């Protein structure tokens, strides 16, 4: 492939980290994702959270009804459960039996709807033991929550205080370090000695590949560029871009597209989350092109995720074209609207 192609073909990608919420607004956001991706890992941080197999089955039913109302076929939601201090080994086994894709660890208080999350990982050891045994992935929001740790350091401190001890205690547990944002996380995942293949991986969002923390404060406060973990310094963005384009199977696509209505973002205490689903693939293509690595996009977007989760790769192909797409200032979200990432600007690549 030349270094500056104007179109690229790839096996259809999947989104390995996605929020679609529930109720009326779900179909507005699902449509954007289903246009681009074949499958997505559906985050369980609803109100109340999806903590049991029964709740996940019910949620899957509502997602399928929503897809049907949109006339979408050929999109598969991959369900996850929300880990709590009380998750039992029996629930883990039950989840494995019905094809739940993973359990999500939210340290209590770390982010949106994480109040019911884990207060101390030690409370989860019976569940983690079972997860290790049956090959159930643990999806990790990797930030410590103590108020005395600077918000920009919370991910790096999490590695030392939580992740490394956890991996020592459960060397065979499959772990996805979700939406990594720092050089420390990228290097930790890259360099980790593991007990086998597909034991440790990380997802990376488009916003963390394209922006650094200046974007939150460019000319004034920019609530639509605020997500958690928060954007970091430029040196971290560069390390993430290096990891994503390195063709290491440990790094794959997860948008963390996280819809919040415009009013909930543009507020005195605005919610965390960037809505990237509208043209997520275009954003990733821009990032890869910026370092001349478009030829590495397919592995990151379409191969390493299913390989890690031991699912078949997709077979259908899609084409991305280098054609600027205008991103609307707002999109409908139920009775409200949402401001997508890059609103009012263009993205250099789009789906053919
Ligand atoms: O920015 C974020 N938004 N980070 C998260 O971890 C959660 C997400 C959400 O659900 O809104
Ligand atoms: Zn998320």
């Amino acid at each position: 492939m030349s270094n500056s192609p104007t179109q690229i073909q790839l096996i259809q990608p999947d989104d390995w980290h996605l929020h679609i919420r529930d109720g009326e607004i779900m179909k507005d956001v699902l449509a954007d994702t289903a246009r681009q991706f074949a499958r997505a890992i559906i985050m369980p941080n609803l109100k109340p959270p999806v903590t049991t197999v029964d709740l996940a089955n019910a949620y899957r039913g509502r997602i399928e009804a929503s897809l049907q109302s949109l006339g979408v076929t050929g999109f598969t939601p991959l369900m996850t459960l929300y880990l709590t201090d009380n998750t039992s080994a029996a629930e883990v086994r039950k989840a494995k039996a019905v094809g739940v894709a993973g359990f999500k660890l939210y340290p209590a208080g770390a982010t949106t709807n994480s109040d019911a999350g884990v207060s101390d990982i030690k409370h989860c050891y019976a569940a983690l033991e079972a997860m290790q045994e049956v090959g159930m992935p643990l999806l990790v929001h990797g930030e410590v929550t103590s108020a005395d740790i600077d918000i920009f350091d919370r991910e790096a401190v999490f590695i030392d205080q939580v992740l490394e001890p956890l991996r020592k205690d459960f060397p065979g547990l499959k772990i996805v370090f979700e939406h990594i944002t720092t050089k420390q996380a990228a290097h930790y995942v890259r360099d980790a000695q593991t007990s086998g293949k597909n034991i440790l991986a990380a997802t990376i969002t488009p916003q963390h590949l394209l922006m650094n923390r200046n974007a939150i404060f460019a000319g004034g406060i920019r609530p639509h560029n605020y997500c958690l973990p928060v954007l970091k310094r430029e040196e971290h963005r560069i390390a993430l871009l290096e990891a994503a384009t390195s063709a290491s199977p440990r790094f794959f696509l997860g948008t963390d597209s996280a819809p919040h209505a415009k009013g909930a973002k543009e507020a005195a205490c605005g919610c965390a989350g960037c809505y990237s689903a509208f043209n997520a693939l275009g954003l990733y293509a821009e990032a890869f092109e910026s370092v001349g690595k478009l030829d590495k996009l397919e592995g990151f977007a379409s191969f390493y995720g299913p390989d890690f989760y031991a699912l078949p790769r997709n077979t259908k192909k899609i084409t991305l074209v280098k054609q600027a797409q205008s991103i609307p200032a707002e999109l409908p979200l139920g009775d409200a609207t949402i401001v997508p990432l890059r609103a009012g600007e263009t993205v250099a690549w789009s789906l053919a």
Side-chain angles (χ1 to χ4, degrees):
M1 189 186 296
S2 94
N3 271 342
S4 53
T6 55
Q7 71 170 54
I8 53 171
Q9 237 199 10
L10 48 158
I11 291 286
Q12 186 173 22
D14 305 299
D15 186 347
W16 299 97
H17 185 126
L18 178 69
H19 300 267
I20 55 172
R21 315 301 186 204
D22 205 350
E24 260 310 290
I25 68 162
M26 180 165 48
K27 68 177 188 327
D28 294 328
V29 294
L30 250 185
D32 286 338
T33 290
R35 215 172 35 243
Q36 299 162 74
F37 298 99
R39 295 169 288 199
I41 288 272
I42 308 297
M43 285 294 133
N45 62 332
L46 304 182
K47 271 188 220 164
V50 182
T51 50
T52 65
V53 168
D54 292 346
L55 288 169
N57 281 336
Y59 187 26
R60 189 201 317 258
R62 296 194 297 279
I63 296 169
E64 276 161 4
S66 196
L67 288 166
Q68 199 161 29
S69 80
L70 288 164
V72 170
T73 54
F75 176 82
T76 306
L78 302 170
M79 307 309 293
T80 61
L81 294 192
Y82 187 112
L83 189 69
T84 73
D85 288 351
N86 303 313
T87 303
S88 67
E91 198 68 27
V92 171
R93 293 179 206 288
K94 190 172 167 191
K96 181 69 182 179
V98 301
V100 164
F103 277 70
K104 178 69 188 270
L105 163 62
Y106 286 108
T111 188
T112 309
N113 298 342
S114 63
D115 300 349
V118 171
S119 68
D120 183 339
I121 191 75
K122 296 270 180 209
H123 296 149
C124 302
Y125 268 35
L128 294 170
E129 194 73 60
M131 290 171 64
Q132 174 172 257
E133 191 188 314
V134 303
M136 173 68 78
L138 178 70
L139 318 183
V140 174
H141 183 109
E143 288 189 290
V144 292
T145 53
S146 34
D148 59 337
I149 307 289
D150 190 279
I151 189 168
F152 292 101
D153 298 333
R154 286 180 187 175
E155 184 174 278
V157 173
F158 181 89
I159 296 171
D160 296 337
Q161 288 189 356
V162 184
L163 188 54
E164 179 60 16
L166 178 69
R167 289 189 53 246
K168 285 226 167 76
D169 288 347
F170 298 97
L173 179 64
K174 287 168 80 84
I175 296 176
V176 185
F177 195 169
E178 299 283 352
H179 44 53
I180 59 168
T181 64
T182 57
K183 180 163 79 178
Q184 288 90 334
H187 292 179
Y188 181 80
V189 171
R190 181 193 68 189
D191 299 337
Q193 302 288 325
T194 61
S195 63
K197 259 180 76 177
N198 298 328
I199 294 289
L200 180 65
T203 55
I204 310 181
T205 77
Q207 65 267 26
H208 291 99
L209 293 175
L210 289 165
M211 297 188 287
N212 64 37
R213 65 192 195 177
N214 286 345
I216 310 168
F217 307 104
I221 197 144
R222 303 281 183 168
H224 301 291
N225 292 339
Y226 169 61
C227 64
L228 287 172
V230 72
L231 295 171
K232 305 294 192 300
R233 283 178 181 276
E234 178 66 2
E235 65 177 297
H236 298 291
R237 188 187 75 83
I238 289 170
L240 296 170
L241 199 47
E242 227 168 66
T245 61
S246 68
S248 160
R250 290 188 182 182
F251 299 101
F252 48 82
L253 186 157
T255 62
D256 197 20
S257 180
H260 292 279
K262 183 179 183 207
K265 296 279 297 172
E266 298 177 6
C269 185
C271 295
C274 295
Y275 186 65
S276 60
F278 186 71
N279 182 8
L281 287 179
L283 292 165
Y284 280 112
E286 261 190 18
F288 277 62
E289 185 184 38
S290 73
V291 286
K293 294 276 178 67
L294 271 174
D295 58 325
K296 301 295 190 287
L297 181 59
E298 187 178 40
F300 174 81
S302 313
F303 296 164
Y304 310 145
D307 294 354
F308 181 88
Y309 280 92
L311 292 167
R313 293 178 180 181
N314 296 317
T315 50
K316 200 179 125 186
K317 291 198 166 162
I318 60 146
T319 302
L320 293 176
V321 290
K322 189 160 187 188
Q323 200 168 81
Q325 180 180 24
S326 298
I327 306 300
E330 291 177 28
L331 298 164
L333 187 76
D335 296 336
T337 63
I338 188 167
V339 178
L341 199 65
R342 275 298 170 80
E345 299 174 47
T346 59
V347 174
W349 289 79
S350 49
L351 202 60

